[in-house]
Amino acid sequence: MRELTPLCEAIEEIIDQRGGQSPCFSEIDGLILLRSQPHRHPSHLVHKPALCIVAQGSKWTSFGDKRLTYHAGEAMLVSVEMPGSSQIIDASTEAPYLCAVITLDLAIMSEVYHSMPTPPAPPASTVNAALVLSLTPALIECVMRTLKLLSSPAAIAVLYSGVMRELCYWLLAGPQGAMLAQRVLGGERNHRLMAAVHTIRDHFDQTLRIDDLASAAGLSATAFHRQFRALTSMTPVQFQKKIRLLEARNLLLSGEMSAENVAFRVGYASASQFSREYARLFGAPPRRDISNLQNQLKA
């Protein structure tokens, strides 16, 4: 797409200026640039509320049983912090995958929402927290101005909040506005559901009773389970398990703890169960997976 050429050139230039590393963490907090070949294996991480803008190539990301595929000229919008798996599926040496990830400021999103003359109405029922959208000229311009700020670091603190406000406006004014309205506004029950999501995320290593989470959300256990899955495409148990395993992988990569100690640290009562579930998610048991990752880093 011709309109994406300046964006591709800007991403490549910025990454090259910073030594060619990908992911490239910029001077703007929450702005990450990616330039990659196709992945042989999925990558796994906890996604923050963000807009993942694809300038070149294609990628899929799955949250539970929902898989989103997005191409050049599209972006994945995530409105809730949740674990997911991703894989680049279209890239080459001549045309690598190029992406800009912009973490959303939900406080600014809320301010913009309440200042809109006709803000989008949140849907009556819980909607999924991730979707794919088409990039508009206005969104592309916001991304370009974000990247241009990197050439004037002193201007970032003064100007970036204004660019974020504009980005939030165009997102709220688009087809995805209702989903974002539910995230930043919602009702008391929606806020309680989000509080339950945060409880699982923050206390992943503890035994959490669904009945207690449902009660805190003001829902029956059945309704809580249904709405949690509608939001994240995962059951509460699946959500907690994936957070546990991602944290376990990070601890193992630090090299400071054995696999058995890590298993207990993240909340498993059985090291063998931990090893089985770890291998199911990452494709290899803990020691072999960490060895493979370390070899990839050295390559």
Side-chain angles (χ1 to χ4, degrees):
M1 300 172 65
R2 208 177 323 171
E3 61 269 28
L4 294 176
T5 300
L7 182 56
C8 292
E9 292 174 346
I11 291 173
E12 295 232 61
E13 181 180 357
I14 292 166
I15 292 175
D16 286 339
Q17 289 172 348
R18 287 154 180 76
Q21 293 277 3
S22 179
C24 174
F25 297 91
S26 74
E27 294 86 343
I28 295 177
D29 186 30
L31 172 64
I32 304 171
L33 303 179
L34 303 172
R35 178 173 62 189
S36 305
Q37 304 301 316
H39 291 162
R40 286 180 294 176
H41 305 288
S43 57
H44 306 270
L45 72 156
V46 176
H47 292 257
K48 295 182 179 295
L51 189 65
C52 306
I53 302 108
V54 180
Q56 185 168 273
S58 301
K59 188 176 190 177
W60 63 253
T61 297
S62 65
F63 299 101
D65 57 8
K66 179 178 181 178
R67 176 176 290 193
L68 301 172
T69 301
Y70 41 112
H71 312 275
E74 296 181 323
M76 180 181 69
L77 174 63
V78 179
S79 64
V80 172
E81 186 171 337
M82 54 186 181
S85 304
S86 300
Q87 187 165 3
I88 295 169
I89 53 176
D90 179 20
S92 66
T93 304
E94 298 76 20
Y97 173 78
L98 298 173
C99 176
V101 180
I102 299 178
T103 300
L104 298 175
D105 188 319
L106 295 178
I108 290 179
M109 182 78 73
S110 180
E111 290 174 12
V112 172
Y113 178 88
H114 286 98
S115 66
M116 294 175 74
T118 310
S125 58
T126 303
V127 295
N128 199 267
L131 55 77
V132 173
L133 58 91
S134 296
L135 294 175
T136 62
L139 288 173
I140 294 173
E141 178 60 26
C142 285
V143 179
M144 287 298 298
R145 285 196 283 112
T146 298
L147 299 183
K148 287 175 183 176
L149 280 177
L150 295 177
S151 62
S152 304
I156 292 171
V158 179
L159 300 179
Y160 183 57
S161 60
V163 180
M164 176 58 68
R165 286 183 66 85
E166 185 177 348
L167 180 66
C168 289
Y169 174 84
W170 292 120
L171 289 173
L172 284 164
Q176 61 284 333
M179 179 265 269
L180 289 170
Q182 185 174 78
R183 178 67 180 90
V184 301
L185 185 67
E188 182 181 355
R189 184 163 292 177
N190 181 261
H191 289 307
R192 287 185 176 186
L193 180 63
M194 287 305 309
V197 172
H198 294 154
T199 296
I200 297 173
R201 181 199 64 196
D202 295 339
H203 303 283
F204 63 86
D205 57 340
Q206 299 176 19
T207 299
L208 301 172
R209 296 180 67 250
I210 296 298
D211 286 347
D212 293 340
L213 292 168
S215 178
L219 296 165
S220 68
T222 301
F224 174 74
H225 191 279
R226 183 177 63 251
Q227 291 190 30
F228 191 98
R229 191 176 188 112
L231 181 71
T232 67
S233 298
M234 288 169 268
T235 67
V237 170
Q238 289 170 334
F239 188 99
Q240 183 184 40
K241 184 184 296 183
K242 195 152 190 179
I243 294 285
R244 280 181 171 181
L245 292 171
L246 286 168
E247 178 63 19
R249 201 184 208 192
N250 290 334
L251 290 171
L252 288 167
L253 277 170
S254 73
E256 297 176 0
M257 299 175 67
S258 68
E260 185 175 9
N261 286 338
V262 165
F264 298 135
R265 170 70 68 87
V266 300
Y268 279 88
S270 163
S272 59
Q273 181 188 4
F274 165 71
S275 184
R276 285 195 304 273
E277 294 187 354
Y278 187 102
R280 193 175 299 131
L281 177 61
F282 298 120
R287 286 193 184 87
R288 197 193 324 156
D289 174 62
I290 296 304
S291 177
N292 292 340
L293 285 173
Q294 290 171 338
N295 289 334
Q296 291 172 21
L297 293 173
K298 293 175 185 175

